[in-house]
Structure formats: C-alpha cells, structure tokens
Amino acid sequence: MCSIIKTQPLSIKICHLHYTSLQIFNHLRMPGFQTEDTPEPKNNNKRRNIIVFFSAAVLLSAAVAVTCSVLRANRQGEITNGSSPTKIFSTEDQTDSSVNTPGPILPSETIVSPLEVPRLRSQVPTDYPTVSLIDDLNKKRESQLELESGVPSAYPTLLLMDPDEEEESQLEIQAQVPCVHRSFSKCSQDISDIIEVHDFNNTEATIFDGPITDFLVAKRPTAVTSQNNGCAKNEAYWKFVLETDKYPWETSWELMKGSETIAFGPPEGRNYARRTKYIGRMCLESGQYTLKMKDQGNDGICCKWGQGSYSASVDGNTVCQSDGSNFTAKNYRFGVNAPSSEKCFTKSTYEAIDNDIAKIKNDIGNAKTRSHFLGGIVRLAAHDFMDFNPDKPNPMGPDGCFDGGHAINNGLEKIWCPACNLALLYQEKYSHISRADFWVASANAVIRQTSVGNALDMKDTFLWGRKDADSCNIPSGDRLPTAAGCDETEEVFLRRMKLEWRDAVALMGAHTLGRGDFSGHSGTWVNSHIEAQIFDNKYYDELFNSVWWPIKMGQPTQDWVTGRDDSLMLNTDICLVYDIEDKIHGGVQCCTKTNDECRNQESRKHKCPMYSRMNSRFEAMEAAEEMLGGSHPHNTNIPFYNAFEEAWRKATTVGQDNLSPLGHGCDS
C-alpha cells in the first residue's frame, strides 16, 4: 500500500481513505444487511463481525498511509507541521516569461537562504487552474493570491524543487489525481496542461534587454546613459555589470557618494531574475564613491548556487570585481576624476598638485609618519625610472609602474595603494594625466616644499607626456640597485641610464628625506625625523663627518651605524666616499674614523680608506665633496641643488621621447 499512496500528500491520502471507508460502510448497509426497519436475523453476529473486520482494515490502511507520508516527508526534508505552508504569489501584471525568468519573492519576514530551507512548497487553488510559476513572481503587489493548505483532493500538489537538486531538474508531479472525484474524466492528467515547467539546468545567463530602470534606480535619472561615450566632458563613464545566480532575490547593491545614495538596485518591491546579466551605465561627477554589495543569504553570488559575478569600471579602468568568496556585505571605495576639457599638463595643473601635496603633508601630525610620506613620494618616482634597461625588449623606465611584489619596494605600498591619500588624490583630480607624470610632479612638489627657503623649484625643467604601461604585472624589482655596494650604483646609473658619477651622487642625496624602512633596513640617514623632513645636503655632511661602522656583516641587511639611535647608512652610501669593497667581501670590519667615537672595538682596528686618485670611483668622492658646498660645517646648499636638478631631469626623462614643457594652456 505504501508504494501506491506514498507519493500523495497527507490531505489527499486521508480524504481518499475517508471516501473509501464511506463506500464500504454504505455497501454494508445495502439490502441483505441489518437496518432499523427490519428484524434482526439470526446470523446478526456474523454480519457484525464483518463490519468490525472491514472497519479495522480501513483504520489500519489509514495508519499505514500516515506513516508512509511522514517517512516520505522526512526523507525529502519537508516541514509540514500538520499542513502545507502557506505561500504567496503575485497574479497581477504578468510579463512574458520567455524574456526573463524571475525567482519567487517571499514576504520580507519569511525570506530564507537556500542553505536554510531546501524547498519551497506551493499548491494550486481550485479557481486558478493555469498558474505559471515563472509569470512575474518577482513583483510584490497589494493584491496577492494566498494559496491555502486545504486543497481539494482532485487537484495535484506540486513541489517547487531546489534548483541544485540533483535528482530532479524540473517542477514535477508529486501526486496523481485520485479516481474518486466524479468531475475528472481521467485519473492521470498531464501536468504540462496545468503548470508551465521551468528547466533549472540551463547554465547560460540571459542578457537582460528590459528597461534599465528594472536594473538600477538613479537619483539623477539623466545620469543614466545607454552609450559608452554618452557622458559630458566634465563627467566620467561608470559601467556596472551584474550577473545573478540562482537566488537573485538575495542580491542588492548601492552606489554612494559620501553619505548620499546615487543609485541602487533592484527597484523597490522587485527582485532580479535568475542567471541574468544586467549592464548599467551612468555618468558620474568627480568625487569619492563607495559601491556596496549585499547578499541576504550570507554566501555571496558564486559559486555553489550559480556562477554569479559583478564588476565596475570608470572610463574603462576596473575599480571593483567579485572574487567568488562568500559575503554578507562588501564595500568598494574608488575615486572618480571627471575628465576636464584640458587634456594637457599646464602650469596651473602643476601648481595645483603642489598645493594638494602640501595639504596632505600638513594633515600628518606625527613627525616620523610625515617624513616617511615625504621621502616615500620621492622614492616612488625614483623606483619608477631606476628599472630602465635599454637592453631589454621592454626597457621600462618612468611608466607609472613599480613592482609591488618585490622586497626592494617594501614600504611603497603605504604610499601608493587604493586607499592611500596620494592615489586617491590622483583618482579624484588628476587621472587625465599619466601616473608617471603625476609621480614626478608630486616628487617635485615635495622637494620644493622641503628645500631650504623653497629654493629648489624644478617647475621650469619639468617635462610631461610620459606614457603609462598597459600593465604593471611585469616584474621589475630585480632591475633596481640593491644595497650591496657601488657595483649596483654603477650598473644602474652609469651603464644603463648613461649618467655621470656626479649625477649618481646627487641623486643619492635624496636619502636626506624620509626613512630607510625596507627589506630589513631601518633608520634615518640624518640625525632625526625633524631633519628627515628637510631636503638639504645634510646627507653628505653625515657621510663625511660622522663615524660609521658596519653591523650584520655579510648579511643582506648589513647596515652602517654611528651609535646614535635610529641612524642608518647603506653600503651604497658609504661606498660613494670610502673604498670598502675589498673589506666587505673579505669580511674585514672597518670604521670611517678610528678615534674614540668608533664604539665597535673590532672595527676600530681598521680605518675605511677613502678613494685614491687612481681609483675609478675617485670621481664619486669628489662629487660628494662638491655637494657639501664648502668646509665643515657646510655653508650653502646651492651646489647640491644645482647638481640634483640636472640629474633629476635626466633620470625622470630617461627613455622618453616627445616630452613637452609646461604651458599656460593647451595651446601654449
């Protein structure tokens, strides 16, 4: 009996058994059996026994049917509590289901994740025999059809399967129509005559071709565009692509500018369709934006419940992209710099960058942090041009890229990152120029502001027009000079970049700014963090007149110290004046001065010699003496400033053609 009735819902089974028991009972009361109007025959006990027997059989059948139903329900994960749950479906304003296949929307208090309830159950009402389960189920309306649990036994009960159920990929009949109802001419009616079947195994996303307002709601409707180039000259083009999974009613998003909502989706009272790709385009003004992605199921939109994804770009540059992880909410912050009518780099642009760098600098209260910020900007521009190698297929040089994955660039991730002040400034106001131009101009601003009396203003020698690389994923860190010694300095500056020793020594003077916190090194090249915010020739003064000895000999992190807290010189610094190559390679410690100020007993035994005139690096030592500007104490920065400006111009334009000087306007 279980095999016959186990596919029927509980209400149908009970009604069926009740109907059968009534037929049996009436049959027992047919002529030939005892009634109130006839005398009791002699075989009354036999007839009573027959009645009792059939009644017991009916009750036993009912018990078996109930037991089988419970077991069937438990196996399928049903939660019935005595009746089928009530479900609400909209029946108004039905749309063409051949275009989109939206998922059912539940009342807000009953929205559940597919992880929590594997199936949603619904039943067909007697007065609505042709319901389509995919007809506009994503719309909330005031007038809705409530499907009660008490369905006549003549109608089939349907199970809305979980889209990921492996056993069944369609809406299938869970019970056949009973033969006991006289209004039906046949016992088994094809379900396709009543319910539209939806195939959940189709994995290809549908491209949404409906009105854009079904995807996003914009506070300023005129900002929505259907063209890639439909924005005004003072606006940036924002493109947002969302591909839904099998549970799109869990997905929503919001685009904000500061605390103001600019756009959101889906529209209120609606949900997105299953496995559908939506594409929205808007024109955004300059400013800082945040895209907030939300998932009510706490499991993201990929990949267990379908291959959902999302991405957003500004003028073709990706600002956020899904990664397939689970999430409840994710925020993506990005800046928009609406392109101005000026596509050139003018003097006013250069001066505006200088002013903005000053604002960021002045907002940093901690001296150590401020010195790191200032030195970091100059280091960022320098590490961009020092990877130049004309012997390689891709010579690189100043191309707006640095190898963030290489240890030699450690610390720069705090200067240039999506949330870093310098990068945000570029995105908000200056993205119409190249990163390479912006980095050099920012470094020039730092040098001018920190030079004594703002004397080193390199605006007149600044050239613009550098081209950013199409991709910064090409490793370049191995091309930069390490701290091992002057062989590295000579290879990068003299051989590859075709500079002179005077240029190399002047560029090394930039170490006077900031800190050497990278690759295991730590400290400042000058006395304090206050001095590390001044661009002067103090670096050379320290090199000649302080007492230096090595620590961690033979290790990649070998440094030179003076005994002063937080002091630092690298092999590449000391070797500009002192001939230490043989001693380093031979493991012999030495001190730049062997007086009592040399606190290392072993180093005091050997004095680090200066270069003789016969040495090829004697020119480097002479250049360092020139940068001092006179005898100790130094009395002028002019020689250093003049040499640095010349060397900086050469280095920042290496490998570049067709660069232009600053003009007053684009036609200058």
Side-chain angles (χ1 to χ4, degrees):
M1 180 172 288
C2 282
S3 63
I4 298 175
I5 67 174
K6 66 181 180 180
T7 59
Q8 298 182 356
L10 181 59
S11 59
I12 294 178
K13 297 163 189 158
I14 294 176
C15 290
H16 195 175
L17 292 171
H18 177 65
Y19 179 87
T20 303
S21 65
L22 289 177
Q23 296 293 327
I24 295 173
F25 183 73
N26 290 334
H27 180 68
L28 293 176
R29 297 184 65 223
M30 292 175 64
F33 290 92
Q34 174 66 34
T35 66
E36 294 178 357
D37 301 327
T38 60
E40 182 178 359
K42 295 180 180 180
N43 58 351
N44 182 57
N45 291 336
K46 182 177 180 180
R47 293 174 178 173
R48 183 179 295 109
N49 290 338
I50 293 175
I51 294 174
V52 172
F53 173 79
F54 276 98
S55 298
V58 170
L59 292 177
L60 178 61
S61 299
V64 172
V66 171
T67 302
C68 292
S69 296
V70 172
L71 293 176
R72 172 72 171 179
N74 288 339
R75 186 171 67 86
Q76 293 182 344
E78 291 182 40
I79 303 175
T80 60
N81 293 329
S83 64
S84 298
T86 298
K87 294 299 168 199
I88 298 177
F89 294 97
S90 173
T91 61
E92 295 184 6
D93 300 329
Q94 297 182 6
T95 59
D96 184 2
S97 61
S98 65
V99 177
N100 294 300
T101 307
I105 181 166
L106 304 177
S108 58
E109 67 272 10
T110 62
I111 291 180
V112 293
S113 169
L115 295 175
E116 298 168 341
V117 179
R119 296 175 179 84
L120 305 175
R121 298 187 65 85
S122 65
Q123 294 179 329
V124 183
T126 59
D127 57 349
Y128 201 69
T130 57
V131 177
S132 171
L133 293 184
I134 62 171
D135 277 346
D136 202 21
L137 296 183
N138 67 331
K139 298 180 181 179
K140 286 182 178 179
R141 300 294 184 188
E142 295 180 0
S143 176
Q144 292 178 316
L145 178 63
E146 184 171 309
L147 306 180
E148 302 293 345
S149 59
V151 179
S153 59
Y155 285 85
T157 299
L158 304 179
L159 177 64
L160 180 59
M161 299 300 296
D162 189 302
D164 283 300
E165 188 70 45
E166 294 181 357
E167 297 178 359
E168 302 169 84
S169 62
Q170 297 179 334
L171 302 175
E172 297 183 350
I173 303 176
Q174 292 298 303
Q176 293 185 349
V177 179
C179 296
V180 298
H181 202 287
R182 295 179 180 178
S183 63
F184 278 77
S185 60
K186 58 181 179 179
C187 294
S188 297
Q189 183 169 349
D190 188 354
I191 190 62
S192 63
D193 295 337
I194 300 177
I195 300 299
E196 179 180 345
V197 177
H198 179 66
D199 183 6
F200 283 108
N201 285 336
N202 181 20
T203 59
E204 183 177 355
T206 301
I207 304 297
F208 179 74
D209 60 358
I212 189 63
T213 51
D214 284 354
F215 173 41
L216 65 85
V217 179
K219 181 177 180 182
R220 183 168 59 93
T222 56
V224 180
T225 178
S226 60
Q227 303 177 15
N228 292 353
N229 57 352
C231 298
K233 291 183 178 180
N234 62 340
E235 294 177 325
Y237 169 65
W238 183 72
K239 181 179 179 181
F240 180 44
V241 180
L242 172 66
E243 185 171 333
T244 59
D245 61 2
K246 300 175 184 177
Y247 294 87
W249 50 87
E250 296 177 348
T251 303
S252 62
W253 61 273
E254 187 176 13
L255 178 65
M256 305 190 70
K257 183 180 182 182
S259 59
E260 178 186 7
T261 298
I262 302 299
F264 65 89
E268 293 183 2
R270 291 178 177 268
N271 287 323
Y272 294 131
R274 288 188 183 95
R275 286 179 293 203
T276 301
K277 179 181 285 188
Y278 296 86
I279 302 175
R281 304 171 178 88
M282 292 182 63
C283 298
L284 303 181
E285 300 173 345
S286 296
Q288 296 298 314
Y289 290 82
T290 302
L291 177 63
K292 298 184 175 182
M293 298 299 303
K294 301 176 183 178
D295 182 79
Q296 293 189 45
N298 306 327
D299 54 7
I301 63 175
C302 184
C303 298
K304 183 176 181 180
W305 307 108
Q307 300 299 315
S309 64
Y310 57 84
S311 64
S313 62
V314 176
D315 288 335
N317 299 314
T318 301
V319 294
C320 83
Q321 192 168 13
S322 58
D323 57 7
S325 62
N326 294 344
F327 68 89
T328 301
K330 280 190 176 183
N331 296 338
Y332 299 89
R333 184 184 177 194
F334 60 94
V336 170
N337 176 35
S340 65
S341 58
E342 282 189 337
K343 291 295 184 181
C344 59
F345 203 139
T346 64
K347 288 185 177 180
S348 61
T349 304
Y350 184 92
E351 292 167 356
I353 293 174
D354 190 296
N355 291 333
D356 288 330
I357 295 296
K359 292 177 183 177
I360 298 176
K361 176 193 71 175
N362 295 334
D363 287 340
I364 302 175
N366 182 272
K368 180 178 179 179
T369 304
R370 190 187 303 116
S371 68
H372 177 69
F373 171 74
L374 296 171
I377 293 179
V378 177
R379 182 170 169 240
L380 176 65
H383 280 216
D384 188 21
F385 64 66
M386 284 194 299
D387 60 9
F388 177 74
N389 189 342
D391 300 330
K392 299 292 184 179
N394 183 354
M396 298 186 182
D399 57 2
C401 293
F402 70 93
D403 188 353
H406 199 286
I408 201 168
N409 289 316
N410 286 355
L412 291 182
E413 76 280 355
K414 298 179 181 178
I415 303 299
W416 188 264
C417 66
C420 293
N421 287 330
L422 188 66
L424 292 174
L425 173 63
Y426 174 76
Q427 287 290 341
E428 183 175 351
K429 297 183 63 175
Y430 302 110
S431 62
H432 62 284
I433 63 178
S434 68
R435 290 186 304 273
D437 280 347
F438 178 74
W439 290 353
V440 175
S442 298
N444 285 11
V446 168
I447 292 168
R448 186 199 68 80
Q449 294 170 26
T450 58
S451 61
V452 178
N454 301 141
L456 186 50
D457 188 345
M458 296 183 287
K459 179 168 57 179
D460 292 338
T461 57
F462 175 78
L463 299 175
W464 67 275
R466 300 166 186 82
K467 305 296 183 182
D468 289 338
D470 294 333
S471 173
C472 292
N473 295 327
I474 303 175
S476 61
D478 289 339
R479 296 188 183 187
L480 299 179
T482 68
C486 276
D487 286 343
E488 298 284 324
T489 305
E490 202 167 19
E491 169 66 18
V492 173
F493 290 119
L494 275 63
R495 195 190 72 79
R496 296 183 195 167
M497 299 178 64
K498 308 303 181 185
L499 302 179
E500 304 292 337
W501 267 116
R502 182 174 182 269
D503 299 322
V505 172
L507 292 173
M508 294 291 287
H511 279 167
T512 193
L513 283 179
R515 293 181 53 82
D517 292 339
F518 61 92
S519 306
H521 305 281
S522 180
T524 60
W525 284 268
V526 291
N527 283 332
S528 66
H529 294 115
I530 301 300
E531 287 191 2
Q533 299 176 55
I534 303 172
F535 193 82
D536 59 8
N537 61 2
K538 183 67 174 176
Y539 167 81
Y540 306 102
D541 186 33
E542 289 288 334
L543 196 57
F544 275 102
N545 298 301
S546 291
V547 180
W548 298 94
W549 63 88
I551 60 173
K552 297 182 286 187
M553 282 284 290
Q555 300 181 29
T557 56
Q558 177 182 322
D559 291 333
W560 294 70
V561 297
T562 64
R564 184 178 65 242
D565 290 343
D566 216 23
S567 63
L568 170 72
M569 283 281 177
L570 306 174
N571 287 343
T572 46
D573 299 310
I574 297 295
C575 70
L576 295 178
V577 174
Y578 301 96
D579 187 0
I580 59 172
E581 294 288 331
D582 292 340
K583 296 189 179 299
I584 291 175
H585 295 312
V588 178
Q589 299 188 41
C590 65
C591 205
T592 58
K593 295 182 185 296
T594 54
N595 55 27
D596 292 339
E597 294 182 36
C598 183
R599 302 179 188 176
N600 184 280
Q601 296 297 324
E602 185 63 28
S603 297
R604 192 187 298 179
K605 297 177 182 179
H606 306 279
K607 183 177 182 180
C608 302
M610 291 185 175
Y611 291 114
S612 67
R613 289 186 177 273
M614 301 300 294
N615 195 299
S616 61
R617 293 176 183 166
F618 180 76
E619 185 181 348
M621 187 185 72
E622 281 191 318
E625 288 179 329
E626 177 191 350
M627 305 305 159
L628 276 176
S631 60
H632 177 74
H634 61 83
N635 52 26
T636 179
N637 287 293
I638 293 177
F640 168 51
Y641 289 168
N642 289 342
F644 185 86
E645 183 172 17
E646 181 181 354
W648 187 253
R649 179 188 60 79
K650 293 178 182 178
T652 56
T653 60
V654 65
Q656 302 292 307
D657 297 322
N658 302 318
L659 300 184
S660 304
L662 294 173
H664 293 286
C666 292
D667 297 329
S668 299

